[in-house]
Amino acid sequence: MERILTRNVDKPDSTSLATYEAAGGYQALRKALASMTPDAVTEEVKKSGLRGRGGAGFFAGLKWSFMPKEVDPKRPHYLLMNADESEPGTFKDRLLMERDPHLVVEAAVVSAYAIRASTCYIYIRGEFVRPAQILERAVAEARARGYVGRNILGSGFDCEVHVHRGAGAYICGEETALMSSLEGNRGYPRLKPPFPAQSGVWGCPTTINNVETLCCVPFIVERGGEWFASIGPNAKNSGPKLYCLSGHVKRPGVYEAPMGLPLMELIHELGGGMLHDDRPLKAVIPGGSSVPVLRADECDVNLDFDSLAAKGTFLGSAGVMVMDSSVCMVQAMERIAHFYHHESCGQCTPCREGCGWLERILTRIEHGRGLPQDLDLLLSVSDNIMGNTICALGDAAAMPTLSFVKKFRDEFRHHIDAKRCLAGTVEPQGVR
Amino acid sequence: MPKVTIDGRTIEVAPGTTILEAALGEGREIPHYCWHAGLSVAGNCRMCLVEVEKMPKLVIGCYTPVADGMVVHTQNDRVKRARAAIMEFFLINHPLDCPICDQAGECRLQDYAVEHGTGRSRFTEEKLLLNKAVDIGAHVMLDQERCIQCSRCIRFCDEVTRTGELGFFQRGERSQIGIYPGKRLDNAYSGNVVDLCPVGALTLKEFRFATRVWYLKNTPSICAGCARGCNVVIGVGQQQALMTTSGQQDDRIKRIVPRANDEVNGHWICDEGRLSYRRIQAAERLLATRPADWDAAIGAAAEALKAAAAKGRLAAILSPRLTCEAIHGWKRLLDALGGATVGVRRLERGENDPLLIRADKGANSKGAAWILGPAPEQAVTDGAAKGAFDALLIAGDVLDPADDPALETLRGAVKTVVYHGPFAGAAAGAASILLPGPAWGEEAGTYVSFEGRVQRLARARVPHGEARPAWRAAADLAAAAGVALPDWTSADAVLEDAAGSVRELAGLDAAAIGLLGVAGGAA
């Protein structure tokens, strides 16, 4: 398949404006500004079936259409590009920002044009120091060439692009927490409604999308929504997709393939197969650490929104984590729970208190101090978090817990009863 | 107007009303911690989760506006399960120190744990250990372990006082409220965060470990701190004083807390008003008459006042903290004796602030003006300096201590000074005849705020010693002087009498004024 999103990433000097322009860069911006209205851009994005690549999979064109059609001068529109890529197992946006920063910049300006925003903030994860530097250089280069700033390409359209670095909190990737953080406040998610299109950053109409999502837009503008929709299994699961492959495979990395790539193809063909030939596949987390895990026997599935939903899990951020038979599922779950415990913002009660509780129970089980009632307790605590919180972080902690315990109950049971690990690689270590 | 059905009852409410407000309006409580009528909605405690038909998830009642045709369930199994779950989350890291917690007995966590909790804990881990006594301000201590992160105190400092001293620090289960570096919680309203705190995380230094709240006798009243007339509840100790041999009850005022009144003080009071009882309790009280025996003192005073009045040489200085009943009683007496030059002390200090505090510290300056008309104290002091008076009546909690020496000048200038009031301070020192009176909190009566709102004080405690209310003293003096005055037996009867002659009080009685007061002066 033709590489679309990653067409430049392997080129020498891939971050330079010259490389990008040589590959046809900024043509989408020229086309949009010269011959398309903002609504026409939005219409193409709607036709493309583009869905959010950040995790929730919401239709991007539909989201854009919620923005007011007129700009109230007192309430300017804002585009926020969510580059706070922090979901464990996810590293696709980083690749784009590090290797093809001008695609990110063009995507920002074209998308801002569509939603009538004259300011775009790229909110980038604090740990991404190098990508932030590369992006800032690209923005400066683009500004010097007239792709960013006032009266872009003589069209009369103004768009300023700012790279804003976060301070290292996972929660700031949640869209409303990101807005609070950008405003200089504590990164707390907000109650909804109002939704960002009504009242987002600084109370103004705001659209927020993931980096990869927006990076699809220049191609949609150039080649049309129908072209985009023709890639992948169907119009609701369309386009090129970046898959982040990690874990026990021979060649982990970011792979571009059409939406709907079979999971086993990703592992065995693109990923070169399992890392150790004598250790069979045990489980896969298909969409970043917050989605329910798949057992090996459930892995005959295509990686798209609806196919994974039919299996009770999510495409999420397409962070595909492969685990072979050596993995102790209790230990893996404990590590995931530790992450959500560490990253819960603490604003609302179920997540603040529940995430720590989950980790403590899992730590006990992992270290041979589990109690017979602990498994039902894990399920109950997870159920009590699910759906009762302000944002999705609570669900993100509860969903893997529910799926790990339900699908690998015997392993958890063994840890409690025998105080040993069924996977055989991790001995109970006693009191930590 | 949208119609909403809550637990089977269909009601009509104003657009924009939330489910929680609609339920409260019906007298149904949806349990909640972070929501407060006087603050913005935070939606963080999740205690008010309710089920709305056709909505997939439970929603928080405090944030969800009612829509026409909405059907809400606040008591079904799903909601009850969620509530029990939230209670469990609140309690897992909450310390079990109720036996030493000042909030115990009026703690939302206790109340809801009983009402909505499961009664047993499934939590077998170690609870979080945090600081138990963080000094965050002049009046407020923080116990981090007890905090449930409802953010009421933070929102109060952000939205009401706009001083922003408090914020959240750290993240997740370790997140704690605290003061920003270089700041202290020392705004003029800091004590309100203690009332707002639904648990025992914020306690008032002046009330910490002072008593158990169930030993308090709570009386609704009006603050005497300034002309605002904030509605308060006075908490008086009822516990047998321990470690004493007297067997006396410890009946001191233990605390003053605000009482909500949207027309006057919203939900708040200032720290000065909150702690005003300390001045009353610290000052030396006038307990006995001089000359000894009430009747003897009344007789001596009546003789002096009557003789002076007969010559037109009688004057009086009244406190603007006297109740309308007291002022009316004195006015009736002075009029019956033949008239006197009457002055009302002005108690001004500081400035009006944008929230509640008034520079006029005379809680009943307006009432005095309604009853007496213009009565500048200057007329009395000038006259006394010229030797125009034989007798002077000083009545009430007249003066701030700093102003007391002004009375010294009157001592030499007037032959007989009669003092009726609570304190054995300089006012009493200037007087030859002393009649003890009740202090604030020790008598029923009426105050008129600077906005003309007529409000009722109630007696929270019985004064020690021989103190009698002013209207009683006035009636006794009238009887001794042989002039006609109604033989009032209660403050209500005096108010009724005053309502008959004071235009602004016309038609008012205790029942009409009620707990929240009424606007007077309309007639």
Side-chain angles (χ1 to χ4, degrees):
Chain A
M1 177 209 154
E2 177 200 358
R3 273 169 44 179
I4 297 160
L5 293 165
T6 56
R7 62 181 174 173
N8 291 330
V9 298
D10 295 330
K11 292 178 185 168
D13 202 19
S14 70
T15 62
S16 77
L17 182 58
T19 308
Y20 187 65
E21 281 180 329
Y26 288 109
Q27 290 307 317
L29 179 61
R30 288 181 193 280
K31 180 180 175 184
L33 293 181
S35 63
M36 294 172 82
T37 63
D39 290 343
V41 177
T42 302
E43 199 50 42
E44 282 307 314
V45 173
K46 270 190 179 176
K47 266 193 244 168
S48 74
L50 173 63
R51 291 172 73 168
R53 283 7 182 181
F58 195 79
F59 288 95
L62 185 61
K63 189 190 264 187
W64 289 8
S65 68
F66 298 151
M67 292 292 279
K69 293 282 170 259
E70 303 285 329
V71 180
D72 174 353
K74 287 190 210 114
R75 298 178 72 233
H77 295 188
Y78 288 96
L79 175 69
L80 305 185
M81 189 186 284
N82 189 345
D84 194 57
E85 182 171 62
S86 314
E87 176 79 3
T90 312
F91 37 85
K92 61 191 177 59
D93 297 339
R94 176 182 174 183
L95 179 82
L96 293 175
M97 292 186 287
E98 270 185 353
R99 299 286 187 87
D100 200 1
H102 280 286
L103 172 60
V104 177
V105 175
E106 184 178 12
V109 180
V110 174
S111 306
Y113 176 69
I115 61 155
R116 301 176 169 84
S118 52
T119 312
C120 170
Y121 286 94
I122 302 175
Y123 186 103
I124 187 166
R125 177 177 176 178
E127 293 89 338
F128 283 178
V129 177
R130 206 168 134 248
Q133 289 166 344
I134 291 169
L135 265 184
E136 276 178 357
R137 211 160 46 227
V139 170
E141 244 183 325
R143 186 182 291 115
R145 193 65 69 92
Y147 295 133
V148 167
R150 295 214 158 257
N151 191 19
I152 295 170
L153 300 172
S155 65
F157 173 63
D158 304 334
C159 182
E160 199 44 70
V161 177
H162 303 281
V163 178
H164 181 95
R165 288 183 57 204
Y170 171 74
I171 192 60
C172 290
E174 196 281 338
E175 58 180 22
T176 55
L178 187 152
M179 290 173 201
S180 302
S181 172
L182 185 62
E183 290 172 6
N185 296 316
R186 194 175 161 85
Y188 269 170
R190 300 174 181 175
L191 302 173
K192 294 180 191 175
F195 292 96
Q198 303 160 261
S199 175
V201 72
W202 293 293
C204 297
T206 302
T207 290
I208 176 163
N209 288 110
N210 169 260
V211 173
E212 184 193 349
T213 313
L214 293 182
C215 284
C216 292
V217 172
F219 302 102
I220 293 170
V221 166
E222 260 194 282
R223 307 191 194 183
E226 280 168 22
W227 161 81
F228 191 90
S230 72
I231 301 170
N234 55 53
K236 288 187 170 174
N237 296 274
S238 62
K241 181 74 193 91
L242 302 184
Y243 299 97
C244 316
L245 182 63
S246 64
H248 295 130
V249 290
K250 288 206 169 68
R251 290 198 302 269
V254 177
Y255 293 96
E256 179 173 359
M259 183 67 77
L261 175 73
L263 172 56
M264 297 313 275
E265 195 178 319
L266 176 67
I267 295 172
H268 289 289
E269 293 181 21
L270 299 175
M274 297 301 291
L275 183 60
H276 302 284
D277 295 334
D278 58 341
R279 293 187 192 164
L281 180 67
K282 182 173 193 176
V284 173
I285 297 173
S289 62
S290 60
V291 307
V293 67
L294 294 172
R295 273 193 320 258
D297 61 302
E298 298 170 306
C299 286
D300 182 19
V301 63
N302 295 340
L303 294 169
D304 62 60
F305 296 105
D306 295 340
S307 302
L308 285 164
K311 292 268 186 187
T313 184
F314 302 100
L315 179 60
S317 57
V320 180
M321 289 183 270
V322 178
M323 293 177 263
D324 71 18
S325 59
S326 70
V327 172
C328 167
M329 298 310 278
V330 178
Q331 191 185 31
M333 188 57 230
E334 185 205 7
R335 188 59 191 80
I336 292 173
H338 174 73
F339 177 80
Y340 291 105
H341 174 200
H342 184 67
E343 294 294 347
S344 170
C345 79
Q347 183 180 196
C348 69
T349 313
C351 176
R352 179 184 66 235
E353 305 292 340
C355 289
W357 194 3
L358 289 179
E359 191 200 349
R360 288 183 176 91
I361 299 168
L362 286 160
T363 301
R364 273 196 295 105
I365 299 174
E366 165 67 7
H367 293 282
R369 287 178 281 122
L371 303 168
Q373 65 269 29
D374 279 344
L375 296 187
D376 288 335
L377 185 59
L378 282 172
L379 297 178
S380 169
V381 171
S382 301
D383 274 335
N384 287 344
I385 298 171
M386 276 286 278
N388 289 338
T389 52
I390 293 174
C391 80
L393 197 149
D395 295 357
M399 286 191 301
T401 313
L402 289 168
S403 67
F404 269 70
V405 174
K406 283 178 184 164
K407 294 185 181 181
F408 298 92
R409 196 169 175 116
D410 286 351
E411 264 198 70
F412 282 82
R413 192 79 242 176
H414 192 80
H415 259 268
I416 293 169
D417 295 343
K419 309 203 183 305
R420 306 186 65 83
C421 185
L422 202 56
T425 55
V426 177
E427 297 295 326
Q429 293 160 9
V431 180
R432 183 153 73 178
Chain B
M1 299 258 282
K3 280 196 180 122
V4 56
T5 305
I6 301 179
D7 296 335
R9 270 182 61 89
T10 303
I11 52 170
E12 215 169 313
V13 294
T17 308
T18 63
I19 293 171
L20 188 143
E21 288 165 341
L24 277 180
E26 284 289 286
R28 303 179 69 92
E29 195 199 36
I30 298 175
H32 58 272
Y33 290 109
C34 66
W35 182 85
H36 188 278
L39 302 172
S40 66
V41 174
N44 59 35
C45 78
R46 316 308 283 180
M47 194 63 196
C48 67
L49 286 167
V50 293
E51 183 177 299
V52 174
E53 286 185 9
K54 294 178 190 145
M55 287 195 185
K57 288 191 198 174
L58 299 181
V59 299
I60 47 172
C62 67
Y63 190 66
T64 311
V66 298
D68 197 38
M70 193 181 252
V71 182
V72 182
H73 301 283
T74 75
Q75 295 295 337
N76 65 16
D77 284 349
R78 187 173 168 214
V79 172
K80 285 181 179 170
R81 269 200 311 277
R83 245 173 230 165
I86 303 294
M87 271 320 301
E88 182 178 48
F89 284 133
F90 270 124
L91 293 173
I92 59 171
N93 279 310
H94 193 84
L96 269 173
D97 60 359
C98 303
I100 55 154
C101 177
D102 287 297
Q103 193 81 4
E106 54 183 13
C107 174
R108 288 282 185 93
L109 210 57
Q110 283 185 329
D111 295 350
Y112 289 165
V114 170
E115 207 174 330
H116 307 291
T118 54
R120 51 177 284 275
S121 177
R122 301 184 292 173
F123 185 76
T124 56
E125 326 301 326
E126 299 229 347
K127 286 175 187 273
L128 284 174
L129 295 177
L130 299 159
N131 290 324
K132 296 292 289 175
V134 187
D135 184 346
I136 60 170
H139 305 295
V140 182
M141 292 289 269
L142 164 66
D143 183 323
Q144 294 180 327
E145 287 184 353
R146 294 178 188 158
C147 178
I148 60 166
Q149 275 96 21
C150 72
S151 79
R152 279 182 172 188
C153 54
I154 296 174
R155 282 175 282 149
F156 176 81
C157 293
D158 285 349
E159 298 163 12
V160 180
T161 61
R162 297 169 184 274
T163 44
E165 298 95 336
L166 295 176
F168 274 121
F169 297 85
Q170 305 297 326
R171 192 169 68 194
E173 66 183 14
R174 300 204 69 85
S175 66
Q176 288 303 326
I177 62 159
I179 41 178
Y180 286 107
K183 283 200 171 187
R184 296 260 297 161
L185 179 62
D186 51 8
N187 66 61
Y189 297 85
S190 66
N192 290 294
V193 301
V194 175
D195 310 325
L196 282 171
C197 185
V199 296
L202 296 173
T203 49
L204 196 72
K205 288 181 184 174
E206 289 79 1
F207 185 67
R208 273 164 71 81
F209 311 124
T211 183
R212 306 315 313 240
V213 294
W214 52 86
Y215 288 130
L216 292 178
K217 186 184 105 187
N218 292 309
T219 309
S221 194
I222 304 300
C223 178
C226 77
R228 174 70 63 177
C230 292
N231 291 213
V232 297
V233 175
I234 306 171
V236 172
Q238 292 198 104
Q239 191 176 14
Q240 183 94 356
L242 301 173
M243 311 297 286
T244 65
T245 52
S246 66
Q248 262 198 341
Q249 281 210 329
D250 177 10
D251 65 347
R252 288 174 302 173
I253 298 176
K254 296 290 182 183
R255 71 171 180 188
I256 298 172
V257 292
R259 184 161 57 88
N261 186 338
D262 288 341
E263 301 296 325
V264 182
N265 54 309
H267 304 268
W268 327 119
I269 55 172
C270 69
D271 289 352
E272 189 181 331
R274 181 183 300 272
L275 300 172
S276 59
Y277 68 92
R278 294 199 302 175
R279 186 179 68 90
I280 296 169
Q281 281 170 183
E284 194 190 339
R285 291 296 298 270
L286 178 62
L287 295 174
T289 60
R290 187 166 72 198
D293 180 63
W294 180 266
D295 289 338
I298 286 286
E303 196 179 316
L305 297 180
K306 188 177 183 181
K311 293 189 223 153
R313 291 172 64 80
L314 176 60
I317 295 176
L318 305 185
S319 165
R321 290 188 178 125
L322 286 173
T323 61
C324 288
E325 289 78 356
I327 295 168
H328 181 71
W330 292 126
K331 180 181 181 340
R332 287 290 308 263
L333 171 71
L334 297 172
D335 286 350
L337 288 171
T341 305
V342 181
V344 177
R345 177 55 64 99
R346 293 288 300 167
L347 300 176
E348 303 260 359
R349 180 159 40 78
E351 289 175 0
N352 299 335
D353 82 356
L355 202 49
L356 297 175
I357 295 170
R358 304 294 299 176
D360 181 0
K361 303 302 173 194
N364 198 28
S365 296
K366 189 99 173 183
W370 282 0
I371 295 166
L372 299 170
E377 190 190 0
Q378 197 69 32
V380 177
T381 43
D382 287 356
K386 289 182 210 143
F389 305 124
D390 288 344
L392 171 66
L393 170 70
I394 301 173
D397 174 7
V398 194
L399 308 163
D400 282 341
D403 294 338
D404 270 2
L407 290 182
E408 290 293 316
T409 59
L410 297 176
R411 194 212 293 259
V414 182
K415 197 158 59 185
T416 310
V417 177
V418 178
Y419 172 70
H420 175 267
F423 300 125
S432 51
I433 299 171
L434 296 176
L435 298 166
W440 177 80
E442 296 173 349
E443 64 174 329
T446 309
Y447 273 174
V448 182
S449 78
F450 81 103
E451 292 167 308
R453 193 168 187 85
V454 184
Q455 307 188 100
R456 293 288 285 169
L457 288 79
R459 188 165 80 170
R461 68 190 288 272
V462 179
H464 293 180
E466 293 182 83
R468 296 189 191 184
W471 48 267
R472 187 64 250 169
D476 287 352
L477 286 165
V483 296
L485 213 59
D487 189 21
W488 299 302
T489 54
S490 71
D492 288 356
V494 187
L495 178 62
E496 204 175 305
D497 190 44
S501 58
V502 179
R503 184 179 56 85
E504 291 89 343
L505 296 174
L508 296 183
D509 59 24
I513 296 167
L515 273 174
L516 295 178
V518 291

